[in-house]
Amino acid sequence: MISRKLIPSILMILIGGLWTGAQPASADTSHIRIIRLSLVQGDVRVARDFHGDSLADTSAVWETAEANLPIRQGYALATDNGRAEVEFENGAMAFLNENTVLEFYHLSLKDGARTTRLVLRQGSAAFYVNPENGDYFSVTGGDFTVEAESRSTFRLDNYDDGSTVETMKGHVTVLHKDQTKRIDKGQSLSMKAGDDDSMSVGRVAEEDDFDRWVSGQVDSVATATNAALQYTGSPYYASGFADLYTYGAFSSCGAYGFGWRPFGVGFGWSPFTAGQWIWDPGFGWTWMSAQPWGWAPYHYGGWLFDASCGGWFYSPPLFFGNPGGRGRRFPRGVHPPRPVYRPVTGVFVRNNGKLGIVPMHPLDEKGKTPLNLQHGVFAPVFAKGVSEPITGTERGQKWETLKSVPRDSLKGSLIATTPPVHVSRTVVEGSSGARVISLGKDSSITYDPREHRFVNSAGSGESSAAHEREASSEKGHSAVVAGERAGNAPARTAVPVATRGATSAPPARSVTPPPAPRYSGGERGSYGGGSGRSSGSAASGGGSAGRSSSSSSSSSSSGAASHPAGGRPH
């Protein structure tokens, strides 16, 4: 048993070893990035293996997505009658509206800098981005790509006959072939499908329910994250910290520093009591907690047991041995290590064929006997994925520590479901900007490739135009006109129930994201020489705007790994 007095000293020795290896030993690009499905409302689905267009790939396997699902490169998320929120490692967030498909095309890490390239196949999605030095973030939807080079919030709508991007905070750059255009706060850019000359800049529309939902989510995560981080000595953002503040409380546990426990649990509570196991080809068996707070405690840091502190409690990264929560004083120029993602904060053990798991202690070493073994084993590990603690701890038995668990040792998976379907929608243009409508089940409107728009296939060109005007009026165009007369921003038209399957296929559009430019390593958001890109055609309007209670994100630094304050997103 380790004395409490020796714990802080041991930890300093271990962290000291990490200091010498803080810089990457290789410049190779790694695709072992894990981001989190942080919120699920209604029907949300995931495809973890598909080729090309996830909507068109009939061999893609779709499963029911649940909160705390780890997401990797090559995954796709789809909503039906539901919404979803995705949280990235550095605090960036993606929000999916109903009937939306978002693909995670490229997630990589190189020299501490993250490259994120997403594809919006259909629907509406909003993005909050706060890049660290060297990070790159883009979303491709329809005929153009949106790049966020600094802290910004934007919305992208991608429909059959066109796409629109709106900037709520900061600014973004829109790329289309050899054209670049900067879109500032309060501005929108629309473009018809397949029409290179149709790019136009206007004002953002009035907030709709989705916009308000996104704004509320960003603000709530910002407040909760900053409240949780005050207890840590870490300068880095970690996914799921906001949920710790929302669903539990920190308390001082003497030499251990601050520990966290969820609300409403008693002395007999223990980890790994609600959730399931899922198989990840890169990490093996991964614990997916069913608790809304169950991301950070099961993937970062470790667990401690002390009766005077209520039993089991969670010790986030750099909390351990940190009384007062003021943080350690590291030598000048040396920064603490970033939180390390683990598939599960537990150590697998085995006895006479029985598989068990022990909550991971902050000082556990891989392959060694877990320090928390004396406090009990969770066994057996059920095939469905939920473990239960062994009463009496069976201390007399010899438990073998496993370095890894073979795939056939457990059984667990998501529930298979039907694939999402194409939802036929179109953009109706007015003098104030683009408006979105959906096609009714009995609609005779089809896409005219010569006109680059949807027309009424039942009549002549003149009657088609009249039919379109009448339809747009019925869908709420009068509200737009009223807003224009009052001098207000254009109002969003409510989107009625959409048609499943297009009445006439829109033109094929290339949705392959452009390659990420090579950053110079200087000021955040600046491109390196030879990238050939610039902001270009800067539109007039508001400038960059930051999120609420946060330190500035515009600091410059000479290296991606030498900017410890970067990554606090809010």
Side-chain angles (χ1 to χ4, degrees):
M1 182 173 179
I2 298 177
S3 169
R4 283 192 184 186
K5 294 182 179 180
L6 293 177
I7 287 174
S9 299
I10 296 174
L11 186 63
M12 284 302 294
I13 294 174
L14 293 177
I15 293 180
L18 291 172
W19 290 351
T20 59
Q23 295 295 331
S26 169
D28 291 341
T29 299
S30 168
H31 293 277
I32 305 299
R33 279 184 60 193
I34 296 291
I35 58 179
R36 171 201 182 200
L37 178 56
S38 49
L39 182 65
V40 169
Q41 293 183 351
D43 185 356
V44 181
R45 312 172 194 188
V46 61
R48 296 188 282 173
D49 184 22
F50 65 92
H51 303 281
D53 185 342
S54 59
L55 275 173
D57 183 7
T58 57
S59 63
V61 177
W62 288 88
E63 300 166 301
T64 300
E66 300 181 19
N68 293 321
L69 172 72
I71 296 176
R72 298 183 58 188
Q73 176 174 299
Y75 284 25
L77 278 181
T79 58
D80 194 329
N81 185 22
R83 288 175 176 172
E85 173 192 286
V86 177
E87 183 181 16
F88 293 77
E89 318 97 313
N90 61 353
M93 303 179 79
F95 305 89
L96 281 66
N97 203 2
E98 292 87 350
N99 298 306
T100 296
V101 178
L102 181 67
E103 298 171 359
F104 298 86
Y105 180 85
H106 180 194
L107 302 174
S108 67
L109 180 69
K110 183 174 183 178
D111 295 337
R114 299 175 179 88
T115 295
T116 302
R117 294 191 290 165
L118 312 176
V119 172
L120 181 65
R121 285 288 171 185
Q122 73 172 21
S124 301
F127 304 89
Y128 167 72
V129 186
N130 184 26
E132 296 182 38
N133 189 37
D135 287 353
Y136 173 80
F137 191 101
S138 73
V139 187
T140 299
D143 293 308
F144 59 75
T145 294
V146 181
E147 288 183 340
E149 304 150 6
S150 59
R151 183 181 299 186
S152 57
T153 303
F154 64 95
R155 170 173 171 167
L156 181 60
D157 296 272
N158 182 24
Y159 297 107
D160 289 337
D161 65 337
S163 304
T164 300
V165 58
E166 298 177 327
T167 306
M168 284 70 174
K169 295 290 180 68
H171 69 271
V172 299
T173 300
V174 175
L175 310 176
H176 172 67
K177 296 184 177 180
D178 59 346
Q179 301 179 63
T180 64
K181 193 174 288 288
R182 171 170 162 154
I183 306 300
D184 287 309
K185 175 184 176 181
Q187 293 184 317
S188 68
L189 180 145
S190 298
M191 183 176 178
K192 295 180 182 179
D195 188 347
D196 293 346
D197 299 324
S198 64
M199 187 181 292
S200 62
V201 176
R203 294 174 296 164
V204 299
E206 290 181 358
E207 284 190 340
D208 61 6
D209 179 66
F210 178 60
D211 293 323
R212 289 186 289 271
W213 179 74
V214 169
S215 179
Q217 290 297 113
V218 171
D219 290 344
S220 64
V221 171
T223 301
T225 298
N226 288 321
L229 287 176
Q230 68 179 318
Y231 294 97
T232 80
S234 174
Y236 302 116
Y237 181 86
S239 301
F241 269 28
D243 297 323
L244 300 182
Y245 179 79
T246 304
Y247 296 101
F250 295 95
S251 60
S252 178
C253 289
Y256 295 126
F258 278 108
W260 178 90
R261 281 168 61 87
F263 289 134
V265 299
F267 181 81
W269 174 82
S270 51
F272 306 105
T273 53
Q276 65 173 310
W277 297 101
I278 59 172
W279 176 261
D280 182 279
F283 290 94
W285 286 108
T286 300
W287 177 256
M288 188 174 72
S289 172
Q291 302 289 353
W293 48 262
W295 179 262
Y298 293 112
H299 298 299
Y300 300 98
W303 296 92
L304 295 166
F305 183 92
D306 191 285
S308 63
C309 294
W312 287 106
F313 62 91
Y314 171 58
S315 177
L318 299 186
F319 278 30
F320 186 51
N322 183 20
R326 295 188 179 89
R328 283 188 197 286
R329 294 185 177 275
F330 290 86
R332 176 182 286 274
V334 177
H335 306 299
R338 292 179 178 270
V340 177
Y341 173 87
R342 303 177 187 278
V344 57
T345 49
V347 180
F348 284 103
V349 293
R350 183 171 53 196
N351 173 263
N352 294 327
K354 180 187 291 185
L355 183 66
I357 189 169
V358 178
M360 180 178 291
H361 191 284
L363 296 181
D364 275 345
E365 297 182 51
K366 189 172 183 180
K368 300 287 185 68
T369 300
L371 298 177
N372 280 328
L373 182 63
Q374 59 184 314
H375 299 300
V377 179
F378 294 80
V381 179
F382 292 149
K384 293 182 179 179
V386 180
S387 305
E388 63 178 8
I390 289 180
T391 57
T393 70
E394 300 184 12
R395 295 181 181 179
Q397 297 185 6
K398 176 66 175 178
W399 290 90
E400 174 193 3
T401 302
L402 302 179
K403 292 184 178 180
S404 61
V405 178
R407 183 168 185 173
D408 59 359
S409 297
L410 291 170
K411 293 182 180 179
S413 63
L414 301 174
I415 300 174
T417 187
T418 58
V421 295
H422 174 68
V423 175
S424 182
R425 286 177 174 174
T426 181
V427 176
V428 175
E429 290 185 296
S431 59
S432 60
R435 302 274 67 81
V436 177
I437 67 168
S438 300
L439 304 183
K441 292 182 178 180
D442 299 323
S443 174
S444 59
I445 297 177
T446 58
Y447 189 83
D448 186 336
R450 295 171 301 177
E451 297 285 335
H452 298 296
R453 65 190 179 96
F454 282 79
V455 299
N456 185 357
S457 60
S460 64
E462 188 67 31
S463 61
S464 298
H467 190 282
E468 269 192 289
R469 289 193 296 270
E470 181 181 354
S472 65
S473 176
E474 292 174 354
K475 298 300 182 181
H477 185 65
S478 57
V480 178
V481 175
E484 291 180 325
R485 290 176 178 172
N488 300 325
R492 293 189 189 277
T493 302
V495 180
V497 178
T499 300
R500 303 287 177 179
T503 56
S504 180
R509 289 183 282 170
S510 173
V511 291
T512 301
R518 184 180 298 277
Y519 282 86
S520 64
E523 184 177 352
R524 180 177 310 172
S526 61
Y527 294 114
S531 68
R533 294 184 189 168
S534 62
S535 294
S537 304
S540 61
S544 177
R547 273 291 167 197
S548 54
S549 50
S550 166
S551 58
S552 171
S553 64
S554 60
S555 173
S556 61
S557 178
S558 60
S562 61
H563 184 56
R568 286 201 179 189
H570 306 296

